[in-house]
Amino acid sequence: MMAEMMLRAKRIFSLVIKEMLTLFRDPKGRFVLISPPLVQLFLFAYAATLDVKNVSMAIYNEDRGFHSQQIINRIIGSSTFSHITFINKESSIKPMIDEQKVMLVLHFPADFSRKIEARAQTRVALLLDGRRSNAAQIVNGYLADIINEYDLKLQSESGNTQGILNIIDRNWFNQNLLYMWYTIPALVAILSMLISLVITSLSVARERELGTFEQLLVSPLSPYEILIGKTIPAIIIGMFEGGIIWAAGYFYFQVPFTGSFWLMLFVLFAFILSTVGIGLFISAVSKTQQQAILGAFIFMIPAISLSGYASPVENMPVWLQYATEMNPMKHMLISVKGLFLKDMSFGLIWQNTWPLFIIALITLPIAGWTFSKRKE
Amino acid sequence: MNVSILTALIRKESLQIIRDPSAILIALVMPLILLFIFGYGVNLDSNRLRVGLVIEDDNIAVSGLVNGFLGSRFFAIDMAKDKRVFIKPLLATKLRGIVIIPQNFSANLAKQNNAAIQVITDGSEPNIAAFVYNYSRGVIDLWLSQQYQQQSGMALKNIELQPRYWYNPELKSRNFLVPGSIAIVMTLIGTLLTALVIAREWERGTMEAMLATPVTNLEIILGKLVPYFILGMGSMLVCLLVAIYLFHVPFRGSFLALGVCSAAFLIASLGQGLLISSVTGDQFVASQAAIMSAFLPAFMLSGFIFEISAMPWLLQKLTYLFIARYFVTELQTIFLVGNIWPLLIRSTLAILFIGSIFFLITAKKTRKRLE
């Protein structure tokens, strides 16, 4: 019994060694392991931002008075707006927005200052480009803050302190709302998934294309041993790659890591295990490496987009929210963000990790079954 | 140019597309998945943000404010008397924020003594955090001015900011995401699929065989590109119908403008695919190159989801090199605004300019390869 176990372990070990060698000896394999993750790390880190800055705006000021100028000075002083154009006729507003020269136009009426002096109500019109409604809403918030503050200042100067209410805004875990603190943890998940999927989906398809899969099947290895032998290299390389992004995030991009090192390794392991089954399944049903890569690609797009990364899960229709429970990325994102920024405890991490094991428990046997079926 | 040769080539290529599982995956499965994702899945409109409301002040005066939060269409509110109840859910990302109405709040407000409301957000998702704050401020402001008006009969604020969102007054992110996703679908067909298929011909040597026949180079290229052009325009049409009839995205421009802009984009995109295939001559490298130089930029550097103006300076300039940037703007404009000719003409010229560079380099490369 013991001897057989040893033999089994030895067989699997040699397969693992063989898999690793194939991966690193093949220039194409090396290419896939190194350059796409690097390009994506930098591209995502800098480009994938819903931050709002460097906004272009136009101001149409019909008022010649003091107060509109005061507000304009505050806008110029704010760091959000980098290009401010002044226009002098109403008819220029539409083309400015239509041609996307500016995101918004602020319009002060002619009697603006006069009405303020007379303590009467006045209004400022703000026209925003609905094609960019997400950013436009946030900018609207900034301008509302600026104008409110000015209004309050006027009121308190005139001795009216009624209705003064402070809203104390505290952003936990990421005080300054740096978007990169959001992107980098997500990238640890995205890129380690990408790698483990590509490795596993190519592994069987490559052997099939080269005709060596038959040889593997007639070897003493059982289909499940083959499965394990193909799983281990993907886990090792996936975790390694995840670790590199993790280190780059901490040392290069300076994102804080507040959680436990060992918990992170545990979570990364569970996550990669859950994606390996999917990759092996793709591999088992593909005839060529080409199809395998495309299959992995087709799985990746929804897995990333519907994980809560691109937009919150609770914004989806309810039936789709249930479907995301099957998406390993959805669970992983909560843990990895939690470990980077929130110092999440084991209890909370476990809530988002056991689903990953369930997914692995379902997908790995299916992949193994597909293998043995192919054997017949 | 011989028309019968050309039709024969087009027929051959079309049959190949239909019989190739990779082609079906890219041209049919991917577009449907993408439309599904951007129609249903990705939704930037946070309408039901789950927020914990802590009411430490038992005074009846705050009930109006509480009702304001409960009635807001942007929030799904959980209530408690103690802040500690909500800390764990906030850590677990079950809550997006906590709003605290502190003890003595109404007393302080009445005494004009530094009344304050605390808004705590989950900063680990910065975009949502900004919305939690914005919407909370909206609710609080509204309540405060109503309160003031009732008591003193005067308006609280002298200056009222009146925002108006043009072209998308309901603020649906779907209205710009679905048109934008057409650019990605056409990139997949124009660049990824074409690069793959032609690279395969180079890899197998059938391209050389073709070039050695009496068929002219132009006929070969056209024979290759025309079926993919038709495929791309066809998928654009399907996306258009899905966008209008299933997702109810407004369509304010003209079909002619959409057709012309799409055709220009598709031609340039095909040129890019052709260029990639002739430079790499290897399916695997071609697919990676197409994903990196066309698919990812169409996704990330086109303004489709991520605002270009918020990117670092160098990256902003880099976006001008990618045709998807111009096309995404055109699509969003044709759907939501209408035929804004200065913008459409400028963008189309840029696309055609970049496209013609692709074709020029390809022509040079192919000639060299054969020598």
Side-chain angles (χ1 to χ4, degrees):
Chain A
M1 188 67 194
M2 197 60 203
E4 203 200 329
M5 286 286 282
M6 284 297 291
L7 205 63
R8 209 171 260 251
K10 221 178 139 188
R11 283 204 297 258
I12 294 175
F13 182 69
S14 8
L15 184 58
V16 170
I17 296 289
K18 176 228 144 216
E19 287 289 318
M20 297 286 251
L21 286 178
T22 341
L23 271 174
F24 285 102
R25 281 203 186 138
D26 177 16
K28 281 182 206 168
R30 273 204 304 268
F31 174 80
V32 170
L33 294 187
I34 297 164
S35 38
L38 270 181
V39 172
Q40 280 159 26
L41 172 64
F42 284 93
L43 189 61
F44 269 87
Y46 290 114
T49 173
L50 292 175
D51 262 347
V52 178
K53 40 186 187 193
N54 307 325
V55 174
S56 304
M57 74 176 291
I59 295 174
Y60 173 38
N61 189 4
E62 289 186 274
D63 178 37
R64 294 270 165 266
F66 173 75
H67 295 291
S68 58
Q69 202 50 53
Q70 283 292 310
I71 293 177
I72 290 169
N73 288 345
R74 278 149 205 258
I75 293 172
I76 293 173
S78 122
S79 57
T80 311
F81 305 96
S82 61
H83 308 282
I84 301 177
T85 316
F86 291 90
I87 52 182
N88 46 28
K89 54 182 192 288
E90 187 148 14
S91 59
S92 337
I93 297 178
K94 197 170 140 46
M96 289 291 271
I97 291 184
D98 285 357
E99 295 175 32
Q100 297 203 324
K101 295 208 167 96
V102 296
M103 191 192 289
L104 61 150
V105 178
L106 193 63
H107 178 187
F108 293 97
D111 55 3
F112 183 75
S113 293
R114 220 177 322 133
K115 277 203 167 156
I116 290 183
E117 293 297 338
R119 307 206 172 201
Q121 277 259 292
T122 179
R123 48 192 51 158
V124 194
L126 177 60
L127 309 160
L128 303 115
D129 185 352
R131 277 168 291 182
R132 301 145 93 180
S133 62
N134 188 70
Q137 282 181 79
I138 292 177
V139 175
N140 179 9
Y142 289 158
L143 284 174
D145 271 343
I146 292 177
I147 289 175
N148 256 344
E149 224 168 82
Y150 186 69
D151 200 354
L152 282 176
K153 182 180 159 269
L154 288 180
Q155 305 224 8
S156 58
E157 276 171 8
S158 65
N160 178 8
T161 49
Q162 261 201 24
I164 291 189
L165 191 167
N166 294 313
I167 301 177
I168 304 165
D169 184 21
R170 287 279 172 279
N171 305 307
W172 282 10
F173 318 121
N174 180 2
Q175 176 76 57
N176 300 317
L177 298 184
L178 299 175
Y179 210 81
M180 210 174 264
W181 290 20
Y182 174 67
T183 317
I184 297 286
L187 276 179
V188 174
I190 291 174
L191 295 181
S192 55
M193 178 191 220
L194 176 81
I195 280 299
S196 73
L197 262 185
V198 168
I199 293 175
T200 45
S201 63
L202 281 179
S203 64
V204 181
R206 184 194 305 115
E207 307 238 14
R208 184 161 298 135
E209 211 173 284
L210 299 173
T212 51
F213 194 57
E214 270 75 24
Q215 292 174 20
L216 210 57
L217 287 176
V218 296
S219 71
L221 289 156
S222 75
Y224 285 92
E225 285 167 9
I226 299 179
L227 186 78
I228 297 171
K230 300 241 170 221
T231 305
I232 293 173
I235 293 179
I236 294 173
I237 298 174
M239 287 193 71
F240 182 72
E241 194 105 17
I244 288 183
I245 310 284
W246 177 13
Y250 183 72
F251 292 109
Y252 181 77
F253 293 104
Q254 314 255 309
V255 181
F257 186 81
T258 58
S260 141
F261 178 84
W262 298 107
L263 260 183
M264 179 76 168
L265 283 185
F266 170 68
V267 165
L268 208 53
F269 170 77
F271 174 62
I272 291 170
L273 192 68
S274 70
T275 62
V276 163
I278 297 163
L280 286 174
F281 175 74
I282 294 173
S283 198
V285 297
S286 312
K287 287 203 186 67
T288 60
Q289 294 188 59
Q290 191 57 255
Q291 287 172 19
I293 284 269
L294 287 176
F297 184 58
I298 283 176
F299 172 78
M300 285 288 290
I301 303 291
I304 296 172
S305 322
L306 303 179
S307 64
Y309 169 70
S311 71
V313 172
E314 66 250 39
N315 289 1
M316 296 175 194
V318 177
W319 54 271
L320 197 56
Q321 291 186 29
Y322 286 114
T324 61
E325 293 297 326
M326 293 184 302
N327 182 357
M329 187 66 89
K330 184 225 161 189
H331 305 285
M332 176 63 177
L333 269 187
I334 297 177
S335 303
V336 76
K337 239 174 16 185
L339 284 172
F340 261 94
L341 302 175
K342 297 179 173 178
D343 189 15
M344 244 187 204
S345 62
F346 177 77
L348 282 175
I349 292 290
W350 178 244
Q351 278 179 21
N352 297 296
T353 310
W354 66 260
L356 295 175
F357 285 113
I358 303 281
I359 294 171
L361 275 178
I362 297 170
T363 52
L364 281 169
I366 292 180
W369 178 77
T370 336
F371 278 4
S372 47
K373 208 170 157 247
R374 288 266 161 177
K375 200 176 169 183
E376 279 152 20
Chain B
M1 206 184 334
N2 188 326
V3 178
S4 66
I5 290 181
L6 192 58
T7 39
L9 282 172
I10 292 174
R11 212 178 104 80
K12 171 223 149 221
E13 199 62 34
S14 311
L15 283 176
Q16 259 183 343
I17 297 176
I18 296 168
R19 287 176 191 161
D20 178 5
S22 305
I24 301 289
L25 279 179
I26 298 174
L28 209 70
V29 180
M30 268 314 281
L32 290 177
I33 292 180
L34 282 170
L35 276 179
F36 172 82
I37 290 175
F38 292 107
Y40 291 113
V42 176
N43 180 353
L44 298 172
D45 323 325
S46 297
N47 283 336
R48 307 295 295 162
L49 291 168
R50 192 156 280 284
V51 162
L53 183 61
V54 181
I55 309 158
E56 291 175 358
D57 186 350
D58 332 309
N59 196 310
I60 188 82
V62 299
S63 67
L65 181 57
V66 173
N67 285 334
F69 274 99
L70 290 175
S72 162
R73 73 177 179 97
F74 298 116
F75 290 123
I77 295 287
D78 289 345
M79 285 201 284
K81 289 210 169 289
D82 191 330
K83 168 179 150 186
R84 278 169 291 183
V85 182
F86 292 134
I87 304 273
K88 213 174 162 195
L90 192 72
L91 270 169
T93 322
K94 297 235 157 56
L95 283 180
R96 301 299 188 174
I98 305 174
V99 176
I100 303 169
I101 306 175
Q103 244 175 347
N104 303 328
F105 167 75
S106 42
N108 283 338
L109 192 65
K111 281 187 287 183
Q112 307 175 18
N113 178 18
N114 265 332
I117 288 179
Q118 198 177 10
V119 178
I120 297 171
T121 64
D122 176 357
S124 69
E125 293 200 29
N127 191 51
I128 299 177
F131 278 101
V132 168
Y133 171 71
N134 268 354
Y135 293 149
S136 304
R137 205 211 33 228
V139 171
I140 296 167
D141 274 357
L142 185 69
W143 170 76
L144 200 62
S145 21
Q146 281 170 351
Q147 189 87 347
Y148 190 77
Q149 191 121 35
Q150 273 170 16
Q151 284 167 4
S152 64
M154 288 193 322
L156 172 66
K157 282 188 185 161
N158 282 330
I159 311 170
E160 191 194 344
L161 184 66
Q162 290 187 314
R164 212 162 288 138
Y165 293 88
W166 280 1
Y167 311 124
N168 186 10
E170 302 147 279
L171 298 173
K172 283 190 187 160
S173 65
R174 182 193 266 181
N175 283 352
F176 57 88
L177 289 178
V178 170
S181 66
I182 295 179
I184 298 185
V185 167
M186 291 178 79
T187 303
L188 282 174
I189 294 174
T191 306
L192 180 61
L193 185 58
T194 314
L196 266 182
V197 171
I198 303 182
R200 187 167 56 199
E201 301 242 340
W202 283 114
E203 204 174 279
R204 292 183 182 160
T206 45
M207 199 68 174
E208 268 93 351
M210 284 274 261
L211 290 171
T213 59
V215 182
T216 64
N217 287 5
L218 184 67
E219 283 163 350
I220 294 175
I221 297 294
L222 279 180
K224 287 263 166 239
L225 296 191
V226 168
Y228 293 99
F229 183 78
I230 295 171
L231 194 63
M233 290 304 268
S235 71
M236 189 272 290
L237 203 64
V238 173
C239 292
L240 175 70
L241 294 177
V242 171
I244 296 177
Y245 292 106
L246 187 61
F247 296 132
H248 306 290
V249 177
F251 186 80
R252 304 203 172 95
S254 68
F255 292 106
L256 179 73
L258 181 65
V260 172
C261 293
S262 305
F265 175 76
L266 196 52
I267 290 170
S269 184
L270 287 167
Q272 193 175 350
L274 202 60
L275 174 64
I276 291 172
S277 66
S278 68
V279 172
T280 58
D282 169 307
Q283 283 185 75
F284 184 81
V285 182
S287 72
Q288 293 295 319
I291 288 176
M292 300 250 243
S293 73
F295 178 78
L296 276 179
F299 225 107
M300 321 262 322
L301 300 177
S302 64
F304 163 56
I305 299 185
F306 304 113
E307 247 335 290
I308 293 173
S309 64
M311 296 174 190
W313 182 85
L314 189 68
L315 217 49
Q316 283 188 40
K317 299 295 159 203
L318 205 64
T319 60
Y320 288 104
L321 299 178
F322 298 103
I323 48 177
R325 176 201 214 273
Y326 307 97
F327 191 46
V328 165
T329 310
E330 287 183 325
L331 285 167
Q332 291 173 344
T333 304
I334 294 172
F335 272 84
L336 297 180
V337 184
N339 298 338
I340 305 301
W341 289 112
L343 182 144
L344 296 182
I345 291 170
R346 222 173 26 231
S347 306
T348 305
L349 285 179
I351 290 172
L352 288 177
F353 176 72
I354 298 173
S356 55
I357 294 177
F358 291 146
F359 279 103
L360 278 177
I361 303 178
T362 312
K364 253 200 166 137
K365 273 269 164 200
T366 317
R367 218 169 296 138
K368 261 213 189 116
R369 252 185 114 100
L370 293 174
E371 273 158 19

